[in-house]
Amino acid sequence: MLRVKKGGLKAIAEEPEQILAPSPSPSLMEEVPKLETVQENWQILLAKALVSMPPEVLSKVVGCIPKELLIEVIKARENDPVVKLALVLLNAQRQA
């Protein structure tokens, strides 16, 4: 048989239920990526996703992405010497 406190269901509904969440273990906290890191790396994640596509799909998808966004992705790695070299080679190829 269900026993109801004095005051009926209204009293039960008004009582705040206290739920204690378990505290995360220190090892779990180390595995959670920092928010700043995730925000800094969206350009890299987008680039990785794009280059993992088959070439025919990649060309279609890149054609749908605004050029400003693609430039921002490249600028995220503008200090990378490999990216600089690739850009120089692409510019030389375009001019030839």
Side-chain angles (χ1 to χ4, degrees):
M1 177 182 238
L2 179 65
R3 293 184 182 222
V4 179
K5 290 183 175 183
K6 190 174 184 179
L9 293 175
K10 183 178 178 184
I12 293 173
E14 291 174 355
E15 289 180 10
E17 184 178 343
Q18 294 183 0
I19 300 174
L20 300 176
S23 59
S25 67
S27 63
L28 179 63
M29 291 304 290
E30 293 172 3
E31 294 176 13
V32 176
K34 301 271 188 264
L35 183 58
E36 300 85 29
T37 306
V38 173
Q39 288 178 342
E40 290 173 7
N41 290 331
W42 71 265
Q43 297 97 339
I44 304 307
L45 294 173
L46 176 60
K48 286 180 180 180
L50 290 172
V51 298
S52 69
M53 296 177 182
E56 61 277 356
V57 174
L58 174 61
S59 62
K60 290 179 183 177
V61 171
V62 167
C64 297
I65 298 175
K67 287 185 180 182
E68 297 82 24
L69 182 68
L70 294 173
I71 291 170
E72 193 172 336
V73 169
I74 294 169
K75 283 185 176 180
R77 296 295 295 258
E78 67 185 347
N79 294 328
D80 185 339
V82 175
V83 172
K84 285 183 179 181
L85 177 61
L87 291 173
V88 167
L89 292 173
L90 287 172
N91 283 332
Q93 186 180 14
R94 276 173 93 188
Q95 293 174 358

